[in-house]
Amino acid sequence: MPFDNPAGDRTRRQPRIGKTSRRQTTAGSPALAQPKVNGSAQQKHAQWLARADDAERSGDSVEAETCRQHAEHWFRVAHDRL
């Protein structure tokens, strides 16, 4: 029966207004967000290109293109071509 609830007194969760929820990953599961790229604009450009190469080698062409677009952004920032 759908209404048989052994813990029948469960309380409802209150909505979190103004607070962001944090997604936690368990050991062994892939993290969805990659680590933050730090450094100067030139360093960020090089790091995004390296990440694009890694994604291409792993067969993820969409991620590779996304990384190349980030690299292009940092190239323009480094050369004041916004």
Side-chain angles (χ1 to χ4, degrees):
M1 295 175 70
F3 296 108
D4 273 347
N5 186 359
D9 59 342
R10 292 185 188 168
T11 60
R12 294 177 57 167
R13 294 182 67 187
Q14 295 295 318
R16 297 179 62 166
I17 299 172
K19 296 181 181 180
T20 59
S21 63
R22 295 183 184 192
R23 180 177 293 184
Q24 295 179 352
T25 58
T26 58
S29 69
L32 297 178
Q34 294 185 355
K36 186 175 178 182
V37 178
N38 294 320
S40 69
Q42 290 90 357
Q43 290 170 330
K44 289 181 181 185
H45 175 250
Q47 290 170 345
W48 279 110
L49 286 176
R51 287 167 76 171
D53 291 340
D54 291 342
E56 193 70 41
R57 274 188 245 113
S58 70
D60 191 350
S61 61
V62 174
E63 179 68 17
E65 181 61 27
T66 300
C67 291
R68 285 190 194 98
Q69 290 175 359
H70 281 83
E72 180 183 3
H73 165 75
W74 286 109
F75 177 83
R76 290 178 183 204
V77 169
H79 294 90
D80 293 326
R81 296 182 190 167
L82 295 174

